Amino acid sequence: MIRKIYSKVDPAVLLHTVYTHEPSEQGTKSRLTESTHFLQAVSFSMPAGAESRPHKHNAQERVTSHTHEALLVFKGSIELSIYDVDNTFLEKINLNEGDCYIIFAGGHSIRALTPAHLFEFKNGPYNGPDQDRTFLN
């Protein structure tokens, strides 16, 4: 299931996308991001024996002004606290193994509910923590 969470301050702004892993029909594909987002994510399933054609990605100049981040819960469970663009707390969401979270705007914090292993993906380059983030409290 894909859940999109929009700003209460500016309802046109997509803040967060939460993908909760559910068994899906083989060969299905779901876009988790819009083509205009700096970070692109797709969920898809493949039946045994299916394969993609060999390919590489072309060099393209891209300009990004915001960091978009995706978290994939590989093992365990986490509690995600999400915030609006004005730093107002919105809600807490629990994520489990196979779930994915993408942040486009606003803020977040993570708390492990069980021992957890996450994969974090961001658009780069990474210029260190001082330039990358601002703490909300």
Side-chain angles (χ1 to χ4, degrees), residues 38-99:
F38 301 136
L39 184 65
Q40 297 294 298
V42 174
S43 167
F44 60 96
S45 59
M46 297 173 70
E51 59 184 74
S52 70
R53 290 179 52 200
H55 66 282
K56 64 180 182 178
H57 296 272
N58 301 328
Q60 298 178 52
E61 185 171 330
R62 297 179 172 132
V63 178
T64 61
S65 58
H66 294 84
T67 300
H68 290 177
E69 177 180 331
L71 295 173
L72 173 64
V73 181
F74 187 70
K75 290 202 182 273
S77 297
I78 63 169
E79 177 184 76
L80 191 65
S81 295
I82 60 172
Y83 298 83
D84 208 327
V85 292
D86 64 353
N87 302 337
T88 302
F89 171 78
L90 292 174
E91 66 179 282
K92 292 184 180 189
I93 299 169
N94 290 349
L95 298 179
N96 302 299
E97 290 180 16
D99 293 347

Side-chain angles (χ1 to χ4, degrees), residues 5-70:
I5 301 166
Y6 289 85
S7 172
K8 291 183 179 179
V9 175
D10 183 352
V13 174
L14 176 62
L15 301 173
H16 314 275
T17 295
V18 177
Y19 170 78
T20 50
H21 176 72
E22 298 172 351
S24 60
E25 209 175 296
Q26 294 297 319
T28 60
K29 191 174 198 176
S30 299
R31 286 191 122 337
L32 306 180
T33 57
E34 303 297 328
S35 62
T36 56
H37 290 140
F38 301 136
L39 184 65
Q40 297 294 298
V42 174
S43 167
F44 60 96
S45 59
M46 297 173 70
E51 59 184 74
S52 70
R53 290 179 52 200
H55 66 282
K56 64 180 182 178
H57 296 272
N58 301 328
Q60 298 178 52
E61 185 171 330
R62 297 179 172 132
V63 178
T64 61
S65 58
H66 294 84
T67 300
H68 290 177
E69 177 180 331

